[in-house]
Amino acid sequence: MSWIDKVRNSIPFIVKRETPDNLWHKCPQCGAMTFLKEYEENQNVCPKCEHHGRIGAAKRFDLIFDSGVHTPLPAPTVREDPLKFRDTKKYADRIKAARTATGEPDAFLNAKGEIEGRKAVVGVQDFAFMGGSMGLAVGAAFVAGVEAAIAEKAPYIVFTAAGGARMQEGILSLMQMPKTTVAIQKLHEAGLPYIVVMTDPTTGGVTASYAMLGDVQLAEPGALIGFAGQRVIEQTIREKLPEGFQRSEYLLDHGMLDMVTHRHKLRETLARLIAYLVPEQAAA
C-alpha cells in the first residue's frame, strides 16, 4: 500500500468514490469512446463512424414494434443435449451458462405486435447466446414463428445473427436447414411474405438456409454475411478476395441483397414493405 493510500484510509471524512467501469463504449471499428448511455440511446450505433453494434432480442423488439409494445411468444420445448456432447465442457453446462448470461431460453425468440400500425410477427436471433448457433431449439422457434404469422395473417420478419450450426448437436443441427425451408414454403402457401434482415454476423448454415430465402432481403450496414470464412475461401480458390468481400454493401452491389438499411430507418422501411406486400392489412 502506498503512503497516499495510508493517509486516505486514515482520514475518515474522505469519501471513496468508485468509478463504474461501464460508463464508456469503445467502438470496435473507429476506436472512438462514447458514453454508454449515449451509445445505447443511439440504438447501439457509433455516433462517429455509424458502426452498427450487436443487440439482443429484447432491445430489437423494443426498437421495431410501436412504442416497444409486443407480446413474446413462448419458446418451444425441445430435447436438450440429445447427443450427450462434451468437449472441454459439457454441452448442458454451456447452455446453462448462456441462459444465465442472456436471460433467454435459447438463441431465437419470437414476438408479435404492430409496426406503424400494421401487424407483424418478428423473430430475432441473438448472437450473444452461443454465437446465435442453430440447433433444435432455434429450428423449433423458427417454425413456431411461421405458424404464429399464419395464425395472425401477418408477415414474418426475421433478424438473423449466427456463427452457423450448433456443432454440439451434430447432424441434428443441420436438419434445421430443410426444416426451416419447408416452414417458409408454408408461409408462402398462406400468401404471406417472409422478410429477412441480416445483421452482423450472419454465417454458416443459417446463411445457407432461411437467411437467404426472404421475399425481401435487407441487411444492416457493414454486416458480415457469408457461408464459409474469407480465409477458408482464399485458401480453397488460391486467390485474394476483394476488399469488403462478404460485407452487406458488397453483397448489395452484386445482387444478393435488395437493400442495406440503417438501423434508425429499419422500422419505417419494414412498415412500408408490409404495406406493399400485405395491402389488405390496413394500418390501425
Side-chain angles (χ1 to χ4, degrees):
M1 181 182 293
S2 67
W3 68 269
I4 194 168
D5 289 329
K6 292 179 180 179
V7 171
R8 183 186 293 116
N9 292 338
S10 65
I11 303 176
F13 56 81
I14 294 181
V15 179
K16 296 180 183 179
R17 293 184 179 180
E18 297 292 336
T19 303
D21 57 2
N22 60 345
L23 283 177
W24 296 88
H25 169 80
K26 183 177 181 180
C27 177
Q29 180 165 291
C30 70
M33 299 295 290
T34 309
F35 276 117
L36 184 61
K37 184 179 179 181
E38 178 186 352
Y39 176 70
E40 291 176 344
E41 288 176 349
N42 201 40
Q43 301 183 13
N44 287 32
V45 176
C46 176
K48 305 295 183 182
C49 70
E50 300 294 321
H51 175 265
H52 283 50
R54 297 167 185 165
I55 60 176
K59 185 162 186 176
R60 183 71 71 177
F61 291 143
D62 288 341
L63 294 176
I64 292 299
F65 289 115
D66 295 348
S67 301
V69 178
H70 62 276
T71 302
L73 302 182
T77 301
V78 299
R79 184 182 175 188
E80 294 184 1
D81 197 9
L83 305 180
K84 304 299 179 185
F85 190 92
R86 179 171 187 161
D87 43 54
T88 56
K89 291 182 181 180
K90 291 181 180 179
Y91 176 39
D93 291 340
R94 291 188 183 277
I95 294 177
K96 290 177 183 177
R99 286 174 176 167
T100 300
T102 63
E104 305 297 352
D106 213 279
F108 197 104
L109 296 177
N110 291 299
K112 62 181 180 179
E114 294 185 348
I115 302 175
E116 294 194 3
R118 299 180 186 274
K119 291 192 302 181
V121 176
V122 177
V124 177
Q125 205 160 4
D126 190 353
F127 192 80
F129 195 106
M130 295 185 69
S133 50
M134 176 181 63
L136 290 171
V138 168
F142 185 95
V143 173
V146 169
E147 292 173 345
I150 293 173
E152 293 288 328
K153 296 181 180 178
Y156 190 35
I157 302 169
V158 169
F159 290 80
T160 61
R166 191 168 296 180
M167 68 173 191
Q168 292 90 344
E169 295 184 16
I171 192 64
L172 296 176
S173 65
L174 297 179
M175 288 172 64
Q176 307 314 303
M177 297 168 66
K179 181 177 181 178
T180 54
T181 302
V182 171
I184 294 168
Q185 183 59 37
K186 289 183 178 180
L187 194 68
H188 291 159
E189 290 171 357
L192 296 167
Y194 172 54
I195 302 171
V196 178
V197 183
M198 285 178 270
T199 70
D200 182 68
T202 297
T203 60
V206 171
T207 306
S209 55
Y210 57 85
M212 284 293 181
L213 295 176
D215 298 307
V216 183
Q217 301 283 131
L218 291 82
E220 290 188 328
L224 175 66
I225 302 167
F227 178 61
Q230 182 168 337
R231 184 174 58 184
V232 173
I233 297 172
E234 288 180 336
Q235 290 174 348
T236 302
I237 66 175
R238 295 182 175 83
E239 289 184 21
K240 185 70 176 175
L241 294 171
E243 186 70 25
F245 181 77
Q246 292 186 322
R247 294 292 172 178
S248 51
E249 291 78 8
Y250 183 92
L251 270 64
L252 177 66
D253 291 341
H254 290 78
M256 295 188 70
L257 293 175
D258 295 304
M259 62 183 81
V260 174
T261 307
H262 195 287
R263 187 172 293 164
H264 293 171
K265 298 181 179 179
L266 259 178
R267 194 162 73 90
E268 63 184 72
T269 300
L270 291 172
R272 188 165 62 250
L273 287 172
I274 296 172
Y276 291 156
L277 299 172
V278 195
E280 64 273 17
Q281 189 188 125

